Amino acid sequence: MAAYNRSRCRQKLLLLLLLCAISAPWTFLSPAHGSSKASSFQASRAHAATALMMAPMLVSTPASAAAEGDIGGAVVAYGHYLGLILATACLIAERLTIRAGMNKEEEDRMRVFDAVYGLAALLILITGYLRVTEYGKGWEFYQHEPIFWLKLTLAAVSGAASFFVTATIIKRSAAQAEVKDQVFIPMSEKLANRMTSVINAQILAIGAIPLTATLMSRGVLYADWLPWQAGAVPPVLALVGLGFRYVKEAVEWTDDDK
């Protein structure tokens, strides 16, 4: 780090000398209408003063470079992206695995994918909170950004939909454990189709999140007048309302429903 700072200082000194060299010839050129040596000397002093005024700006560059190289912010951002990629991978794996009449090994894999998805969602939640409050643009920006709340709504929809899948997996595992003769009960086609449609909705919701993130970071539709309470209503309703609905549907599910 010290060697890097010395190198940067040398670069700044060379740039300062270059600025002085660029300005120097103009101090010795004769004016078009003939001026005195005093005016030439005054011009030389003016250029020197300008160069000296620019020197503190050059010297302060390492501090800004250090601020831009925020390791904590980089780690949090990496964790956020990793969680999003991992959650998407788990959803795709679930979508490719689920089918009517799955064997026990396939349902065990579904259980693993769902557990990893839950961990990825937790990672996204923690790192997202840190990015909003500590390492991103700051809460003062995000609370007035409608697309930020749209992003949270999409995340809430994906999370609420996952309640149906998780509740169904838990319900089937508990029912299977109660079977004394250990006969595996395969999943019905109706339930497999319903879980497939729910996972498809999750994939669509989580797939739209990167688009909202890019628009949000650029301040698209930013509104100073928007209170955070109004922005928070859609994601809260999506998470609570849809979450309750999906859990209730999973708990009360029967294959003979019309």
Side-chain angles (χ1 to χ4, degrees):
M1 186 67 181
Y4 172 79
N5 289 334
R6 287 196 296 270
S7 175
R8 296 288 295 177
C9 288
R10 285 196 295 269
Q11 293 176 10
K12 293 174 183 58
L13 288 175
L14 288 175
L15 182 57
L16 180 59
L17 291 174
L18 179 60
L19 291 172
C20 292
I22 292 173
S23 62
W26 297 95
T27 63
F28 297 101
L29 289 176
S30 299
H33 299 287
S35 61
S36 65
K37 292 183 179 180
S39 61
S40 178
F41 175 73
Q42 291 175 355
S44 176
R45 290 181 58 187
H47 285 293
T50 302
L52 289 175
M53 290 174 64
M54 295 180 66
M57 298 172 60
L58 298 173
V59 174
S60 64
T61 304
S64 60
E68 292 174 359
D70 186 354
I71 297 177
V75 171
V76 170
Y78 173 76
H80 198 63
Y81 302 145
L82 179 63
L84 186 61
I85 293 172
L86 190 59
T88 305
C90 289
L91 289 177
I92 293 174
E94 287 182 342
R95 178 62 182 84
L96 295 176
T97 302
I98 191 169
R99 62 180 178 82
M102 289 186 295
N103 57 38
K104 187 176 185 304
E105 289 73 19
E106 289 172 325
E107 290 214 23
D108 288 341
R109 284 203 297 270
M110 283 284 296
R111 192 178 300 112
V112 172
F113 295 148
D114 189 70
V116 176
Y117 174 84
L119 294 176
L122 183 61
L123 178 61
I124 293 172
L125 178 64
I126 294 173
T127 55
Y129 173 80
L130 290 175
R131 296 195 75 190
V132 169
T133 58
E134 301 292 336
Y135 298 107
K137 295 179 180 295
W139 174 244
E140 291 299 323
F141 170 81
Y142 292 115
Q143 66 176 321
H144 301 300
E145 176 51 75
I147 299 182
F148 167 73
W149 297 110
L150 175 60
K151 177 185 175 183
L152 290 189
T153 302
L154 292 172
V157 169
S158 181
S162 71
F163 294 165
F164 178 83
V165 179
T166 302
T168 299
I169 290 175
I170 294 174
K171 181 181 177 181
R172 284 185 57 78
S173 298
Q176 193 65 44
E178 294 177 357
V179 178
K180 296 181 180 180
D181 55 3
Q182 297 299 313
V183 176
F184 181 74
I185 305 173
M187 181 178 292
S188 67
E189 183 174 357
K190 180 180 179 180
L191 180 56
N193 290 339
R194 179 55 178 157
M195 290 185 70
T196 298
S197 64
V198 170
I199 293 173
N200 287 340
Q202 287 182 266
I203 293 175
L204 289 175
I206 204 170
I209 287 178
L211 175 60
T212 60
T214 57
L215 295 173
M216 171 194 71
S217 64
R218 288 161 175 78
V220 176
L221 299 181
Y222 181 86
D224 284 323
W225 53 265
L226 178 67
W228 70 266
Q229 294 89 343
V233 169
V236 170
L237 289 179
L239 183 62
V240 176
L242 291 177
F244 176 79
R245 171 192 166 185
Y246 281 122
V247 171
K248 184 174 183 292
E249 181 182 3
V251 171
E252 296 177 354
W253 179 273
T254 57
D255 290 328
D256 58 355
D257 283 347
K258 298 298 184 181

